[in-house]
Amino acid sequence: MTATELKMQPHPDDLPSPLLKAMWLAARDDWEGAHNIAQDIETSDGNRIHGYLHWVEGDLPNADYWYRRAGMNRPTTSLDKEWHNITNQLLES
């Protein structure tokens, strides 16, 4: 599965991980649903997604905090590119 194929899934029930479900919800502008998942997963991937979601929200200081917890800086790419980067990384792991 690719990030584009994940985005086109009609529902998230068959996705192999909660983090992919969070990204699926984020792609559908369900910020709260995605955030509820990401905030409970204390891994670097969970922290990165948490940072991404706060970036989407426009809360850049909070986004930067969560990206640092993931061991990285907030990307200088677009939100759409970051969504694809995160999703492809999750699909490859």
Side-chain angles (χ1 to χ4, degrees), residues 18-58:
L19 291 176
L20 283 170
K21 181 177 180 179
M23 296 308 288
W24 185 89
L25 291 166
R28 282 160 179 70
D29 298 323
D30 183 350
W31 187 93
E32 186 172 338
H35 186 260
N36 287 340
I37 293 170
Q39 72 181 354
D40 291 336
I41 300 177
E42 297 270 340
T43 64
S44 61
D45 289 336
N47 291 335
R48 183 179 181 185
I49 293 170
H50 201 164
Y52 165 79
L53 291 167
H54 284 292
W55 183 14
V56 167
E57 180 188 34

Side-chain angles (χ1 to χ4, degrees), residues 52 55-56 67 75-85:
Y52 165 79
W55 183 14
V56 167
Y67 272 104
T76 59
T77 62
S78 68
L79 284 165
D80 186 58
K81 179 70 173 168
E82 176 65 343
W83 184 92
H84 277 84
N85 288 342

